[in-house]
Amino acid sequence: MSLLSKKLSEYQERKAKILQGGGDKAVAKQIAMGKLPARERINMILDPDSFYEYDLFIKHDAREFGMENKNLSGDGVIIGTGTINGRPVAIYAQDFTVAGGSLGSMHAKKITKIMDYSLKMRIPLIGINDSGGARIQEGVNSLAGYGEIFYRNTLASGVIPQISVILGPCAGGAVYSPALTDYVFVVDKISKMFITGPEVIKSVLGEEIDMESLGGAKVHCEITGNAHFFAHTEEECFAQIKKLLSFIPANNTEKPQIVKSSEPLKKYKIEHIVPADPTAPYDVRNVIRALTDNSDFIEVQEMWAQNIVIGYGRIGGRTVGFVANQPMVLAGVLDCDSSDKAARFVRYCDAFGIPIVTLEDMPGYLPGVDQEHAGVIRHGAKLLYAYSEATVPKITIILRKAYGGGYIAMNSRHMRADFVFAWPTAEIAVMGPEGAANIIFRKEIMEAEDPDKMRKQKVEEYKEKFANPYVAASKGYVDSVITPKETRKFILHALNISVNKSIQTPEKKHGIPPF
C-alpha cells in the first residue's frame, strides 16, 4: 500500500468514526424520541449536496473528572455552510447523541467560529439547539463559551438574519442565545426551553411540573411569545425556515429578492371582507391576502398576542412587512404584548430594509388595572418608538376605527408615515362616537325629554363632524380617501416611488428605547 493510500485510508477511518456521532445506540435513542439525527437535520434544511462541514476533527480539551479519556465525536456540534434555494447560509447543529450535546470550551469555539464566518461573509445564520446545557465537567469554561456566543448574537443583530431552531432541550443560560436571535422555530412535543428545570423547581418550591407544561413548544408560542413559528414535525419546521428566508434579505446591505409579480387570488374580494358595521369582527388576514401576490402571507408569532397580526407578503414582487390590528381578538386593541410584538417586528423590517404596510382598525389601548400595572404605558411606547425610528417606506391604510392614542401609534402621519390612505368607512377621532357624545353632550342628554333618542342624535352628530376620514384628510393627515378595490394599486404605487427613499436623522450613538 502506498503512503498516499495509507493516509487516505486513515482519513476515511477517522471520518467514519466521527460521522457515527454518539454511536448506533445513541442515534437509535434519538430517533425513538421522535428526533432526527443532527446531520440529517442539516441536510434536510439545506439544498441537496450543498453542505460543507468544518472542524470535523475538533476534540474537547477537558482534563478533569475522567474527561481526558473520553473521545467525543466532533465535541457534540456540527458546523458548516451550504445553500437554501441557492442562497448561501451558515449553520450549526448540536448533536444530542454526543454527551447530550453539552456545551464545553471547544464546542463553543466551533459555534463562535461559524458565527464569525456568517457575520464576515454577511450570510444568514441558522442554529439548531439540542443540548442538555453546560458541560459541568468543564466548569467556568462552559459559561465563558455561552458568553462568547451571546456577544456575537448581539454583534450580528440587525446585520444578518439569525434563526434559532429548538429541536430538543435548551435549558439554563443556553436559552439566551435563541432569545437574542431574530426568529425562533419550535416543534410540538420536541422543543423544550426553560431557565430552571423541573427537578430544580421541585427541590426549591416542592412543585411537580413536567417539561412540556413548563417550557414546551405551545407554551412559548401561546404564552411567553419567545417562539415565532410552531410546527408539528421537524420537516414542517424546515419548510417554514426555507419560506421565511425567501422573503428576507441575506444581510442589511441587500434588498429582499424581487420575484415575478402575480395578482391576489380571486376568492379574496377585499370589498366584501370588512363589514360596514364598525362593531362587526372580521379576519384581517383575509385583507392581507386580498392585497398580496398570489394571496401568499407568512405570519410571524401567529399564536401569541393575536389581537395584532404581523408577517410577510409580496406586492408587485417586492417583500412587504405587514402590521395589522385583528378585530376578531379583543376588537384589535393594543395592549402590552401586542405592542411588544409589533414594535420588534417593525424594528426588524427597518433594520433589513423591508417596507412596512400598516392596516389599522382599532379602538385604542386595552383599558384596565391589569394592563396599567403591567406597564402598558412603557410597552405601548415601544411601538411609538419603533415606528418613529423606522426610515424604510411606511404606508398606512385606515380601514375602520382609528381612535385616540392608538391612531397615533399605528404609524400615523405624525410618526412620519410616508403615505396614509383611508377607506370611506374610516373613523378617525379622539374616542368612539358613543363615548364622545356622552361626554360632550352630557348635559343636553340628561335634560332631554327622551335621553336615549337625544343620545342617538348626538352620536350621529359627532360621527358626521369627526368620525370620518374627511376631517383628517382636510388637515393633510390623510393623503387620499380610497375605495377598498384601489388599496393594492395605491400601495404598489407608493412602494414604486419610495424605492430610493432617503432620510436624515440626528447623529447619535444610539437611541434609548423604553425596553
Side-chain angles (χ1 to χ4, degrees):
M1 179 183 290
S2 68
L3 180 60
L4 177 59
S5 297
K6 185 178 179 181
K7 292 291 184 182
L8 288 174
S9 177
E10 179 187 353
Y11 162 74
Q12 294 295 347
E13 185 178 333
R14 285 174 177 267
K15 182 178 179 179
K17 189 173 182 180
I18 293 172
L19 293 179
Q20 288 178 345
D24 293 342
K25 286 186 178 179
V27 171
K29 186 177 179 181
Q30 173 91 343
I31 295 171
M33 290 189 291
K35 298 159 60 180
L36 295 171
R39 279 191 174 79
E40 190 171 337
R41 286 168 167 170
I42 291 174
N43 289 327
M44 288 184 71
I45 292 176
L46 301 182
D47 296 336
D49 301 319
S50 72
F51 181 57
Y52 286 78
E53 185 172 350
Y54 313 128
D55 287 348
L56 178 68
F57 299 104
I58 283 283
K59 293 183 178 180
H60 72 83
D61 58 5
R63 295 293 177 266
E64 304 293 337
F65 306 105
M67 288 294 290
E68 66 273 13
N69 299 318
K70 291 188 177 181
N71 182 21
L72 306 182
S73 174
D75 206 17
V77 66
I78 302 160
I79 69 169
T81 52
T83 61
I84 293 178
N85 299 321
R87 302 168 69 196
V89 298
I91 191 168
Y92 71 84
Q94 294 179 310
D95 187 350
F96 194 80
T97 70
V98 180
S102 59
L103 185 138
S105 174
M106 296 307 293
H107 181 118
K109 284 184 178 179
K110 288 182 71 172
I111 292 177
T112 55
K113 182 175 184 176
I114 201 64
M115 294 177 79
D116 290 341
Y117 274 15
S118 64
L119 185 57
K120 182 165 56 177
M121 307 304 176
R122 295 294 194 265
I123 57 177
L125 173 68
I126 300 171
I128 300 176
N129 295 262
D130 188 2
S131 168
R135 190 173 297 158
I136 300 172
Q137 296 92 330
E138 295 197 31
V140 72
N141 280 341
S142 294
L143 302 180
Y146 281 126
E148 293 293 333
I149 292 169
F150 303 160
Y151 178 73
R152 284 167 173 81
N153 286 137
T154 305
L155 283 183
S157 181
V159 181
I160 57 171
Q162 297 182 84
I163 292 172
S164 293
V165 194
I166 314 300
L167 296 180
C170 183
V175 298
Y176 285 113
S177 178
L180 288 167
T181 60
D182 301 314
Y183 295 105
V184 177
F185 289 75
V186 293
V187 177
D188 195 24
K189 311 300 183 188
I190 291 177
S191 307
K192 307 287 186 295
M193 291 175 69
F194 44 80
I195 293 290
T196 308
E199 300 85 2
V200 178
I201 291 176
K202 183 179 179 181
S203 66
V204 175
L205 302 177
E207 296 179 7
E208 289 277 0
I209 188 167
D210 64 271
M211 284 200 294
E212 192 65 35
S213 58
L214 175 65
K218 286 189 176 179
V219 168
H220 289 299
C221 284
E222 296 177 351
I223 300 173
T224 69
N226 289 329
H228 302 84
F229 293 93
F230 175 88
H232 294 92
T233 65
E234 292 193 24
E235 292 84 352
E236 181 187 355
C237 174
F238 302 154
Q240 291 173 341
I241 294 170
K242 293 175 184 179
K243 184 168 184 179
L244 173 66
L245 286 173
S246 74
F247 280 94
I248 60 179
N251 58 64
N252 64 344
T253 64
E254 293 185 4
K255 290 185 179 293
Q257 286 186 315
I258 298 177
V259 302
K260 186 178 179 180
S261 179
S262 59
E263 292 296 313
L265 300 180
K266 292 182 178 178
K267 68 177 182 177
Y268 294 106
K269 297 185 181 299
I270 194 167
E271 65 272 22
H272 297 154
I273 295 172
V274 180
D277 179 358
T279 64
Y282 62 92
D283 191 342
V284 76
R285 290 171 295 193
N286 289 333
V287 177
I288 296 173
R289 294 186 183 104
L291 297 172
T292 58
D293 294 358
N294 201 37
S295 299
D296 192 18
F297 175 59
I298 177 170
E299 187 170 354
V300 178
Q301 292 183 299
E302 179 182 356
M303 301 165 72
W304 181 64
Q306 294 181 9
N307 42 321
I308 205 154
V309 172
I310 60 173
Y312 299 108
R314 290 188 181 90
I315 296 181
R318 289 193 180 93
T319 296
V320 169
F322 284 93
V323 179
N325 303 116
Q326 176 58 289
M328 288 183 67
V329 181
L330 297 174
V333 296
L334 285 172
D335 58 4
C336 293
D337 286 346
S338 63
S339 296
D340 283 4
K341 175 179 171 179
R344 189 177 187 275
F345 183 73
V346 167
R347 297 197 83 194
Y348 184 88
C349 289
D350 186 50
F352 288 93
I354 299 170
I356 302 164
V357 171
T358 303
L359 302 179
E360 184 173 2
D361 184 358
M362 51 91 78
Y365 284 91
L366 182 63
V369 174
D370 290 344
Q371 281 292 304
E372 296 291 351
H373 288 184
V376 69
I377 297 171
R378 173 169 48 85
H379 290 277
K382 295 178 185 180
L383 187 55
L384 294 167
Y385 191 102
Y387 270 128
S388 298
E389 181 187 49
T391 59
V392 292
K394 298 182 290 187
I395 303 163
T396 298
I397 314 294
I398 303 174
L399 309 180
R400 292 195 310 190
K401 297 184 291 295
Y403 296 158
Y407 153 70
I408 300 171
M410 290 297 291
N411 193 36
S412 64
R413 169 55 43 74
H414 325 294
M415 299 292 101
R416 298 304 183 265
D418 297 298
F419 299 94
V420 179
F421 305 124
W423 287 4
T425 49
E427 296 181 0
I428 306 167
V430 174
M431 63 193 306
E434 288 77 11
N438 286 337
I439 294 172
I440 296 172
F441 306 111
R442 179 174 176 272
K443 185 177 181 181
E444 293 175 59
I445 292 171
M446 289 180 62
E447 293 176 352
E449 292 184 12
D450 188 340
D452 288 339
K453 183 178 179 181
M454 178 62 73
R455 181 179 292 105
K456 290 178 182 178
Q457 180 182 327
K458 293 302 181 182
V459 165
E460 290 305 313
E461 183 179 335
Y462 183 85
K463 283 183 179 180
E464 184 179 344
K465 289 185 177 180
F466 297 107
N468 61 67
Y470 305 108
V471 175
S474 73
K475 306 293 184 184
Y477 302 147
V478 169
D479 295 302
S480 296
V481 179
I482 62 175
T483 66
K485 281 187 176 181
E486 294 177 304
T487 305
R488 177 178 158 92
K489 179 178 71 173
F490 270 82
I491 294 175
L492 181 57
H493 179 69
L495 291 172
N496 287 336
I497 66 172
S498 60
V499 167
N500 296 317
K501 176 186 174 183
S502 178
I503 186 170
Q504 298 297 319
T505 56
E507 184 177 348
K508 55 185 174 181
K509 186 174 181 181
H510 57 70
I512 306 165
F515 286 153

